[in-house]
């Protein structure tokens, strides 16, 4: 089982993550939707496509743009469709 934790709380929990470039991508339904806040931030990866971001809010503290996902990944990254990865101090183990 892989968990993502931030600010003392488990925000994602799954035994079905996909690891790409060292990042665990969790199924969207394994992530607590209450902690995800929409963000306008985007980025581009040449082989995965365009990423969108969420900020994470736990117990009144917000970690801006700490989660990302690829809504329409390129074919080479199709295995991460509908999955969310974390960074910026989110502990994944």
């Amino acid at each position: 089982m892989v968990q993502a934790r931030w600010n003392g709380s488990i925000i994602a929990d799954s035994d079905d993550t996909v690891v790409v470039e060292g990042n665990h991508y969790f199924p969207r339904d394994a992530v607590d939707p209450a902690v995800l806040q929409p963000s306008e931030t985007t980025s581009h990866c040449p082989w995965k496509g365009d990423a969108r971001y969420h900020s994470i809010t736990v117990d009144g503290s917000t970690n801006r743009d700490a989660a990302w996902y690829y809504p329409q990944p390129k074919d080479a990254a199709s295995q991460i469709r509908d999955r969310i990865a974390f960074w910026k101090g989110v502990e994944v183990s």
Side-chain angles (χ1 to χ4, degrees), residues 1-6 9-18 24-38 53-58 66-70 80-87 90-92:
M1 187 67 63
V2 180
Q3 294 182 332
R5 296 174 182 263
W6 187 71
S9 294
I10 296 171
I11 60 173
D13 190 1
S14 179
D15 60 0
D16 178 30
T17 64
V18 173
H24 284 268
Y25 284 79
F26 290 79
R28 182 169 284 277
D29 64 2
V31 180
D32 181 355
V35 304
L36 298 177
Q37 307 301 319
Y53 290 77
H54 289 291
S55 294
I56 298 169
T57 300
V58 174
W68 76 92
Y69 65 101
Y70 290 86
I80 61 172
R81 182 182 311 275
D82 296 325
R83 293 178 175 269
I84 300 176
F86 302 97
W87 67 325
V90 175
E91 296 176 15
V92 177

Side-chain angles (χ1 to χ4, degrees), residues 44-67:
H44 178 78
C45 172
W47 75 273
K48 290 185 295 243
D50 295 321
R52 300 286 317 230
Y53 290 77
H54 289 291
S55 294
I56 298 169
T57 300
V58 174
D59 293 333
S61 296
T62 299
N63 191 345
R64 184 168 151 69
D65 298 334

